[in-house]
């Protein structure tokens, strides 16, 4: 993962000079060549929508924040093993159901 300082130096001129922690977090996460998580973000979002849950309601059931659910669904942040277990419990499925299929995993 690129150091934050190096990433900030590459921002186009005209960007605001004060950056929030979330801005840095999202910026570094999107430019990082490494994937820090193994769950399938699209699968998590699909299951949430199929269950008729909002991000806020899923966050409450999984004992996390709406922001974290949003970042996991967008692939910006990964979910820890305990978080994946809580998500699976909220969806009524197995943790393995939240992972990419074996064909998707082989192609990445």
């Amino acid at each position: 993962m690129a150091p934050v300082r190096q990433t900030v130096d590459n921002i186009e001129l005209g960007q605001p000079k004060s950056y929030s922690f979330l801005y840095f977090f999202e910026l570094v996460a999107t430019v990082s060549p490494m994937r820090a998580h193994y769950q399938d973000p699209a699968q998590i979002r699909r299951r949430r929508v199929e269950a008729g849950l909002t991000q806020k309601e899923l966050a409450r059931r999984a004992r996390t924040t709406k922001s974290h659910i949003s970042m996991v669904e967008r692939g910006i942040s990964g979910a820890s093993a305990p978080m994946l277990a809580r998500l699976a419990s909220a969806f009524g499925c197995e943790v393995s159901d939240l992972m990419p299929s074996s064909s998707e995993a082989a192609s990445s």
Side-chain angles (χ1 to χ4, degrees), residues 4 7-8 11 19 21-32 76:
V4 172
T7 304
V8 172
I11 296 174
Y19 304 102
F21 173 78
L22 183 58
Y23 177 80
F24 277 126
F25 182 75
E26 288 185 329
L27 183 65
V28 170
T30 57
V31 298
S32 173
I76 292 173

Side-chain angles (χ1 to χ4, degrees), residues 1-87:
M1 183 178 288
V4 172
R5 184 77 208 146
Q6 187 176 24
T7 304
V8 172
D9 289 341
N10 293 327
I11 296 174
E12 293 180 17
L13 294 175
Q15 291 290 328
K17 296 297 181 195
S18 63
Y19 304 102
S20 69
F21 173 78
L22 183 58
Y23 177 80
F24 277 126
F25 182 75
E26 288 185 329
L27 183 65
V28 170
T30 57
V31 298
S32 173
M34 296 178 63
R35 186 171 170 182
H37 52 277
Y38 300 99
Q39 73 278 355
D40 183 359
Q43 185 74 278
I44 292 172
R45 184 179 196 294
R46 184 183 66 76
R47 288 197 175 262
R48 178 183 61 80
V49 170
E50 285 178 353
L53 297 172
T54 63
Q55 288 180 341
K56 184 176 182 178
E57 178 60 20
L58 177 58
R60 187 188 66 75
R61 290 183 183 192
R63 298 187 316 274
T64 188
T65 64
K66 178 189 172 294
S67 297
H68 188 238
I69 296 296
S70 174
M71 289 190 292
V72 168
E73 286 185 354
R74 290 182 289 150
I76 292 173
S77 178
S80 64
M83 175 58 63
L84 285 171
R86 292 194 305 266
L87 288 170

